[in-house]
Amino acid sequence: MVEKHLAITNNLTSFNEVQRGCFFGEQIGFDYISTIPAYIPSARKLLKKSKLGAVIDYPYGFSSTQVRLHSALENLRKGADCIDLCLNTNDLVNNRFESIIRDLLALTNLIDIQKKELRVILEYRLLTDEQLNTISEILTSKNIYRVILGTGTMVENLIDNVIVAHELKKYALLGVVNGVTNASQIQTLVEYDVEAVIFNSVQLVQKIWGIK
């Protein structure tokens, strides 16, 4: 069974879009539905079965640790089940892994206290193989399991995403694959042993599942 995730992350998204996403997601049986902080309280009221994720510091992860901590705590208090944290792209490409470790340590401590889940959003296309291996080791050491592949700000390549998801398995990480555009691709992902897929558009979900 492939986990199904929906991300509604555009800062210009209307409440109607989030409302439709929550309705369709619950109807289809999505495991996670994530949105921007402004809509967390409203989405909390709409979701009964799907886990609610709050997308923090999207899409580049440039904010300070304190700002990210404050945002995470605020959204957990508003009803989020998990925090989707954008890893700092600048730190990643410049090998500032100690900064990333400090950031993750602070966030994981908060998440553990709240007994919630921390997921990370990783723009892996900017990384070398060595950098990807290093951040994978770090995530495993911090007991972070789900890694959303790509921020949606770069052109998606489904094959690349699948390859990286398989690489992450070496570190006991679950890569949440982006880039699906039709129903047949979902079955293909099952055949390739992909465990989770994410959609970045409510309209795409409607199209794939044939919802009017």
Side-chain angles (χ1 to χ4, degrees), residues 149-202:
L149 298 175
T151 59
T153 59
M154 300 180 71
V155 177
E156 294 296 340
N157 185 305
L158 183 58
I159 295 175
D160 286 347
N161 288 342
V162 170
I163 291 171
V164 172
H166 278 280
E167 288 296 311
L168 294 183
K169 285 187 178 183
K170 298 176 183 177
Y171 300 91
L173 298 172
L174 186 151
V176 184
V177 170
N178 216 326
V180 171
T181 58
N182 58 65
S184 64
Q185 289 176 334
I186 298 176
Q187 182 56 42
T188 301
L189 293 181
V190 173
E191 295 169 3
Y192 279 92
D193 199 28
V194 170
E195 299 177 78
V197 61
I198 190 167
F199 304 89
N200 290 317
S201 163
V202 177

Side-chain angles (χ1 to χ4, degrees), residues 44-59:
R44 179 70 282 159
K45 295 176 182 177
L46 297 170
L47 295 179
K48 305 301 180 186
K49 297 176 289 185
S50 304
K51 290 185 179 180
L52 174 60
V55 181
I56 299 297
D57 211 10
Y58 179 85

Side-chain angles (χ1 to χ4, degrees), residues 56-57 62-75 85 103 107:
I56 299 297
D57 211 10
F62 289 165
S63 297
S64 68
T65 298
Q66 285 305 114
V67 169
R68 286 146 75 88
L69 274 172
H70 176 77
S71 183
L73 180 58
E74 181 179 29
N75 282 281
L85 179 76
D103 197 49
L107 267 296

Side-chain angles (χ1 to χ4, degrees), residues 2-191:
V2 175
E3 282 187 0
K4 296 183 293 295
H5 303 236
L6 173 61
I8 311 168
T9 54
N10 190 321
N11 285 323
L12 299 178
T13 295
S14 68
F15 172 65
N16 181 59
E17 185 81 351
V18 174
Q19 193 173 33
R20 287 168 57 241
C22 290
F23 176 75
F24 296 147
E26 290 266 293
Q27 183 180 352
I28 296 165
F30 270 54
D31 298 279
Y32 290 83
I33 297 176
S34 299
T35 190
I36 57 177
Y39 293 124
I40 291 298
S42 300
R44 179 70 282 159
K45 295 176 182 177
L46 297 170
L47 295 179
K48 305 301 180 186
K49 297 176 289 185
S50 304
K51 290 185 179 180
L52 174 60
V55 181
I56 299 297
D57 211 10
Y58 179 85
Y60 302 115
F62 289 165
S63 297
S64 68
T65 298
Q66 285 305 114
V67 169
R68 286 146 75 88
L69 274 172
H70 176 77
S71 183
L73 180 58
E74 181 179 29
N75 282 281
L76 291 173
R77 286 175 173 170
K78 289 180 178 178
D81 298 304
C82 66
I83 297 298
D84 293 352
L85 179 76
C86 285
L87 292 180
N88 189 311
T89 306
N90 193 265
D91 283 344
L92 286 168
V93 299
N94 288 291
N95 296 314
R96 293 196 289 264
F97 293 109
E98 288 302 318
S99 177
I100 293 172
I101 290 171
R102 288 194 300 270
D103 197 49
L104 289 176
L105 182 60
L107 267 296
T108 52
N109 285 342
L110 170 64
I111 296 296
D112 288 346
I113 291 172
Q114 298 291 321
K115 296 182 179 179
K116 301 293 184 178
E117 180 183 1
L118 178 64
R119 310 190 303 174
V120 297
I121 303 171
L122 175 65
E123 194 53 86
Y124 72 88
R125 295 169 188 81
L126 301 174
L127 307 182
T128 64
D129 289 345
E130 183 179 353
Q131 288 171 329
L132 180 60
N133 291 336
T134 300
I135 190 59
S136 297
E137 290 173 353
I138 291 170
L139 295 175
T140 301
S141 72
K142 301 304 175 190
N143 296 316
I144 296 170
Y145 178 54
R146 288 177 175 82
V147 181
I148 299 169
L149 298 175
T151 59
T153 59
M154 300 180 71
V155 177
E156 294 296 340
N157 185 305
L158 183 58
I159 295 175
D160 286 347
N161 288 342
V162 170
I163 291 171
V164 172
H166 278 280
E167 288 296 311
L168 294 183
K169 285 187 178 183
K170 298 176 183 177
Y171 300 91
L173 298 172
L174 186 151
V176 184
V177 170
N178 216 326
V180 171
T181 58
N182 58 65
S184 64
Q185 289 176 334
I186 298 176
Q187 182 56 42
T188 301
L189 293 181
V190 173
E191 295 169 3

